[in-house]
DNA sequence: TCAAAAGTGTTAAGTTTACACCCATGC
DNA sequence: GCATGGGTGTAAACTTAACACTTTTGA
C-alpha cells in the first residue's frame, strides 16, 4: 500500500511510534473418529523449537487479517480451496511479552472443517489436499487430539482454550455444527459433532426432533441413505440448510456452577 | 503467530516487514432517559475533520490493547476510574484501506457504563467525571443517541453496528445488563435496559419472574425502595449478583427471518 | 379520586426430558 | 439370531406467554 508520507498530517509519522508486527494464528478444528482434533505445526526454530504451535504468520502490507489467515492456512498446511471451510475471527492477543523476540500483536481465527474420510482421500484428488503436509515455515503440520495436548508454544494454549469455548458456545445458538460435516451427512453424524465438542452424551430421539423442528438447520436429501459404522439401519442424508441461527437454541445439558 | 522463517530468518529483523500501526477503538454505550447513547468525539483534523468518530488511539510499545483502551478512554473523554465500567474486546478491523493515511490495524472494544443522573453529578465529585470533556487528540467528546447517527469517520459505523449487535446478543445469555445499571437499581430499570438495547417491549410480570428465578443475576437489598418516575409505588432495590451467565437464557421476542 | 408504576396470580400453550419400543442392516 | 445404529411414540415435568388484578405512591 505504501502510504504517501508527505500526505500524513502531523502526529501520523510512521516513525513517531514503535512498529508492531501483526500476525494471524489459526485454531483449526476437525472431528475424526469421534475425537476433536486440532491442526498444529511443529516449530523448527527457537524460541520453542520442537514444540507444537498454531499455524499462522505475518499479515502482509496489502492484505486483511482474514486474507492472511486463508493464505497461511494454505501455505503452512496445504489446506487450500477446502470446500466447506468455515473461518471466523476469534479475538486479538496483544500482551507485550507474548513473543520474547519482539512486539507481536496476533489476530486469532477459528477454522472448522469436515473430516476427509481416509477412503475418499485416495479416491478424490481434490479431497487429497485435506491431508496436511508441511510447507512454508512449518517443520510439519499434523492433526492432534485436542484433549491431552502438552504445552504449546507462546500463548497458544490459551488461544486454543478460547477457541474451543467459543465453538462450544456457538453450537448452542447457531448452525455452526454443520461446518464440521461433509456436504451430505446423517443426523447421527451431526449429533456426534455436538457430543464431541461438548464432551457430553445427548438423547438421540430428542436431538433429532430438535434439529428437524428448527427451520433451515438441515434439509433432507430425498431418497438418499447411507450405512454408518458398517452395521445398523442406513441413515437418511441431510444437507446444511440456509439458516444461520437456532431459535430456540440447543442448550448444553445444564451443569450446576457454570463458568462463562 | 509464528513468524515467517522465509521473511525474517534469524532474529526477526524489524525492518524485514512493513510496520503496522496498532490502535484501539472504543464503542462506549450508556442508557440515558430510555435512549441508547454512544460516546463520540468530533474529529479536529483531516481526514474526516468535523465528523464524529469513536474514541481511541495508538497502542503504546509496552502496553496491551486492553490497557491502551482504558488509557485512551481516560485521556480522550475524561472517563477514568469509573465504578462499574465494563470493558470487553469486540473484534479487530484490519482492512488495508480502512485509514487513507497508512496501514492501521484496530482492536475494537465495547464499553458499557451506568448513566450518571444529572443530579448526582452536582452532588458527588466522583461522579462528575462521568460528564465527558474533550482532551488529548479529540476536539470534543459527547454522548449522542445511537439511533439516527449520521455517517461516522473511517469504518466506525460498522464497528458501532457490530458492537450493538454483540451487546444485544449478550443480554440474552449473560448478566451483562447490570453493567448499564448503577450499584443499586430497580427491576424496572433493568427491564428498561433490555427494552432499550433490543428495541422491544417486554412483559413486566414475566420479566421479573425470569430475572428473580435466575440464581445470581440480582440480589435484593432488604428494606430498600426507591421512587421512580415521580409517581407510583416505590420499587424494591437490587444489586448485581455474582453469576456471569443466564441459564436458561432470556431470549428476545422471536422475529421471523432473523439475521445473525 | 385518579393516573402511574410496582408487584401478584392464574391459566393455556408450548417445550423439554426420559424412556419404551420398532426398523433395517451386517455378520 | 443378535448386535448395532436409525427412527417413532408418549407422558410427566417444566417453562413461557398473555393478561387480569391488587398495591402504593404523588398530584
Amino acid at each position: 500500500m505504501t502510504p504517501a508520507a508527505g500526505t500524513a498530517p502531523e502526529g501520523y509519522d510512521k516513525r513517531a511510534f514503535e512498529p508492531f508486527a501483526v500476525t494471524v494464528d489459526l485454531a483449526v478444528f476437525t472431528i475424526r473418529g469421534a475425537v476433536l482434533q486440532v491442526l498444529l505445526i511443529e516449530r523448527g526454530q527457537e524460541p520453542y523449537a520442537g514444540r507444537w504451535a498454531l499455524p499462522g504468520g505475518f499479515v502482509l502490507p496489502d492484505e486483511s487479517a482474514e486474507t492472511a489467515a486463508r493464505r497461511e492456512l494454505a501455505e503452512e498446511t496445504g489446506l487450500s480451496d477446502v470446500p466447506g471451510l468455515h473461518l471466523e475471527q476469534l479475538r486479538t492477543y496483544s500482551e507485550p511479552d507474548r513473543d520474547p523476540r519482539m512486539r507481536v500483536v496476533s489476530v486469532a481465527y477459528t477454522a472448522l472443517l469436515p473430516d476427509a474420510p481416509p477412503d475418499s482421500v485416495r479416491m478424490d484428488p481434490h479431497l487429497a489436499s485435506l491431508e496436511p503436509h508441511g510447507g512454508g515455515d512449518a517443520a510439519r503440520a499434523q492433526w492432534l487430539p485436542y484433549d491431552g495436548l502438552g504445552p504449546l508454544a507462546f500463548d497458544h494454549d490459551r488461544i486454543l482454550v478460547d477457541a474451543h469455548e467459543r465453538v462450544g458456545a456457538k453450537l448452542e445458538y447457531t448452525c455452526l455444527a454443520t461446518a464440521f460435516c461433509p456436504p451430505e451427512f446423517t443426523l447421527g453424524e451431526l449429533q456426534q459433532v455436538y457430543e464431541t465438542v461438548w464432551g457430553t452424551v445427548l438423547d438421540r430421539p430428542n436431538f433429532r426432533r430438535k434439529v428437524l423442528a428448527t427451520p433451515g438447520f438441515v434439509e433432507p436429501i430425498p431418497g438418499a441413505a447411507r450405512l454408518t459404522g458398517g452395521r445398523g439401519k442406513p441413515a437418511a442424508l441431510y444437507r446444511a440448510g440456509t439458516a444461520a441461527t437456532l431459535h430456540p437454541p440447543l442448550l448444553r445439558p445444564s451443569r450446576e456452577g457454570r463458568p462463562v
Side-chain angles (χ1 to χ4, degrees), chain A:
Chain A
M1 52 147 275
T2 316
T7 63
E10 54 166 354
Y12 241 71
D13 177 9
K14 278 190 190 176
R15 275 134 211 108
F17 53 87
E18 184 88 3
F20 287 54
V22 178
T23 62
V24 291
D25 282 317
L26 288 139
V28 189
F29 293 103
T30 196
I31 291 173
R32 266 196 170 163
V35 173
L36 183 66
Q37 308 241 10
V38 188
L39 188 58
L40 297 174
I41 59 144
E42 193 174 11
R43 285 188 55 79
Q45 54 186 257
E46 291 297 338
Y48 302 103
R51 285 269 193 96
W52 292 106
L54 299 180
F58 287 112
V59 176
L60 300 181
D62 57 357
E63 68 183 2
S64 69
E66 176 162 338
T67 303
R70 290 187 192 279
R71 180 181 49 72
E72 287 291 343
L73 190 59
E75 285 179 12
E76 286 208 332
T77 68
L79 293 170
S80 61
D81 294 321
V82 177
L85 171 71
H86 174 97
L87 186 70
E88 73 172 53
Q89 195 182 118
L90 175 61
R91 58 164 289 157
T92 292
Y93 297 83
S94 64
E95 294 303 317
D97 57 354
R98 58 183 297 281
D99 188 313
R101 293 162 295 187
M102 64 173 297
R103 190 63 203 273
V104 178
V105 169
S106 186
V107 187
Y109 282 79
T110 303
L112 309 182
L113 70 172
D115 181 30
D119 291 286
S120 59
V121 171
R122 270 182 260 114
M123 310 290 288
D124 185 346
H126 191 68
L127 285 173
S129 61
L130 284 175
E131 283 306 317
H133 55 81
D137 318 325
R140 61 193 178 106
Q142 195 176 313
W143 292 107
L144 289 169
Y146 174 80
D147 287 312
L149 282 175
L152 304 181
F154 306 102
D155 53 359
H156 292 188
D157 293 291
R158 192 194 156 195
I159 298 177
L160 212 45
V161 167
D162 289 350
H164 181 228
E165 166 55 27
R166 178 92 131 241
V167 171
K170 290 199 84 166
L171 288 189
E172 291 195 319
Y173 56 94
T174 72
C175 299
L176 194 66
T178 55
F180 280 111
C181 295
E184 303 192 341
F185 54 88
T186 70
L187 294 187
E189 288 163 354
L190 190 66
Q191 185 175 344
Q192 185 67 66
V193 170
Y194 278 89
E195 293 184 331
T196 302
V197 174
W198 287 350
T200 59
V201 173
L202 302 174
D203 182 86
R204 184 157 39 78
N206 293 335
F207 177 81
R208 67 186 294 110
R209 252 191 298 269
K210 199 103 216 225
V211 170
L212 295 176
T214 302
F217 194 177
V218 299
E219 43 188 57
I221 303 175
R226 181 212 296 162
L227 219 63
T228 59
R231 269 183 289 277
K233 182 173 174 176
L237 289 175
Y238 295 82
R239 253 189 295 272
T242 53
T245 56
L246 261 37
H247 279 271
L250 210 161
L251 300 174
R252 277 176 267 207
S254 53
R255 327 165 203 164
E256 290 318 294
R258 154 133 10 167
V260 144

